Amino acid sequence: MNCYEAIDLMGDAIENRVPSESRTGFEEHLDECPACCTYFEQLQATVSALARLPRRSDSGVLTQDLLDAFRRSR
Amino acid sequence: MSDIESPFLAKLKDGDEAAFAGLVADLGPGLLDFARTFTSSTALAEDIVQETWLAVIRGLHAFEGRASLKTWIFSILVRRARTIAARDARLHARAAARAVEVEWEPGQGRRGLWDETPIPWSVEDPEAIHQSQEALLVLQAALDGLPEMQRQVVLLRDVEGLSAGEVCNILALSETNVRVILHRGRAKLRQALDRYMRDGATSDGPATSEIVGRVAARGIR
């Protein structure tokens, strides 16, 4: 497997969904290619940081307008 | 699950106000962040979310639960946002830019994905980066700066945690497109974090402290 093929699989790999026929090749490539190994590690770190971004807005408060609309819809 | 409604959905249809308040509390912040990707105006983004909730209320009784409630509501937001955005002249240009965004397909080679060989960050565990408030601010600023579609796909997939299939449905994109757009978005975000980790400031952009100040001024909580 070359770097381009490995990079193509990284999205799947983050979710542990690399197709079984490519799994060994992918892992072997990461073992022998420090650049891809580093890149993959950093990509994983990026994705897990995204899942932890703080929320910026309140907008989770039910306004009277919406509550009235909800009541009327019954 | 065509005939089986979740107990939560049944409560909503039954007019359970606590359930509705719970839904708004749960999805409201994510919906507003997503609405912001369609417009630079906070007021317009808030209108889009409000219109979305009204449409949810109107459509609730006919909703059969084939898609998840969350996917259904985000799909409604996309339709509302596109309708409202179409009225907003500034957004026409953005929509046009959107059409030409997918430039490469998987397997076609993507030279330039990394301009330089990746160098390990000088931390023991890169995964621990999320413990740094500053790193999260840098990441948020980079996410805000992505092209519209990349920002939408990354937001739905990685921030909201929706599945690839759900993202395809919400944005009406093919699986291949979502895959490509997601990868490009993530690659740019990794690069932003990489710059921050390596020298704490970007060489060709504003200093990190400026970015952080700017983001903080927008009211991150």
Side-chain angles (χ1 to χ4, degrees):
Chain A
M1 187 174 289
N2 64 33
C3 293
Y4 291 129
E5 291 164 332
I7 292 163
D8 251 358
L9 289 171
M10 284 184 186
D12 292 331
I14 285 171
E15 288 143 37
N16 283 318
R17 281 175 38 189
V18 177
S20 52
E21 69 271 16
S22 311
R23 210 164 293 153
T24 312
F26 180 74
E27 279 162 14
E28 279 172 5
H29 181 81
L30 288 200
D31 286 344
E32 61 204 27
C33 176
C36 276
C37 187
T38 299
Y39 187 79
F40 181 57
E41 235 179 40
Q42 294 176 354
L43 209 56
Q44 271 183 311
T46 304
V47 171
S48 57
L50 281 167
R52 292 174 173 89
L53 277 183
R55 289 289 182 204
R56 277 187 294 188
S57 48
D58 292 328
S59 85
V61 181
L62 181 55
T63 59
Q64 192 62 44
D65 278 3
L66 278 185
L67 184 59
D68 289 345
F70 185 69
R71 283 178 178 153
R72 279 197 305 273
S73 77
R74 293 198 58 187
Chain B
M1 49 175 274
S2 53
D3 300 325
I4 310 156
E5 287 183 9
S6 73
F8 185 75
L9 180 57
K11 276 190 192 173
L12 286 175
K13 288 189 176 188
D14 224 31
D16 184 329
E17 288 170 16
F20 185 62
L23 185 69
V24 172
D26 200 26
L27 298 187
L31 286 171
L32 184 58
D33 275 351
F34 187 48
R36 283 173 189 277
T37 68
F38 291 90
T39 171
S40 51
S41 152
T42 301
L44 202 57
E46 283 167 353
D47 284 351
I48 290 169
V49 174
Q50 175 78 6
E51 293 261 330
T52 299
W53 283 122
L54 293 174
V56 166
I57 291 169
R58 282 194 303 272
L60 201 52
H61 293 282
F63 176 63
E64 289 171 340
R66 287 212 181 87
S68 80
L69 196 57
K70 184 170 176 175
T71 301
W72 178 61
I73 294 173
F74 272 81
S75 306
I76 291 175
L77 187 142
V78 170
R79 286 194 294 273
R80 286 292 165 288
R82 287 181 180 158
T83 310
I84 292 173
R87 287 184 221 136
D88 192 300
R90 279 171 301 141
L91 295 169
H92 280 304
R94 281 167 159 248
R98 220 158 49 86
V100 297
E101 201 172 291
V102 178
E103 291 155 10
W104 60 257
E105 298 294 325
Q108 301 283 308
R110 53 216 60 77
R111 276 162 198 80
L113 181 64
W114 58 58
D115 303 328
E116 58 217 66
T117 305
I119 297 164
W121 295 336
S122 51
V123 288
E124 209 148 293
D125 177 15
E127 285 276 325
I129 190 173
H130 64 78
Q131 288 164 7
S132 154
Q133 276 308 310
E134 204 179 45
L136 290 181
L137 290 171
V138 169
L139 184 62
Q140 181 72 61
L143 178 60
D144 290 346
L146 288 181
E148 183 175 326
M149 292 217 81
Q150 289 177 22
R151 188 174 162 202
Q152 290 172 351
V153 169
V154 170
L155 203 101
L156 292 177
R157 191 79 175 89
D158 290 337
V159 182
E160 286 298 325
L162 291 159
S163 75
E166 287 173 313
V167 176
C168 293
N169 287 336
I170 290 169
L171 295 172
L173 289 171
S174 74
E175 225 169 284
T176 306
N177 277 1
V178 165
R179 207 180 137 88
V180 171
I181 295 167
L182 180 66
H183 193 101
R184 297 170 130 220
R186 284 172 172 173
K188 283 187 196 151
L189 298 178
R190 184 212 66 93
Q191 192 177 41
L193 282 178
D194 185 48
R195 286 201 189 129
Y196 164 72
M197 291 301 281
R198 295 238 308 272
D199 41 53
T202 55
S203 48
D204 54 353
T208 305
S209 57
E210 272 177 49
I211 296 175
V212 170
R214 237 169 31 217
V215 176
R218 292 185 51 182
I220 268 204
R221 271 178 279 270

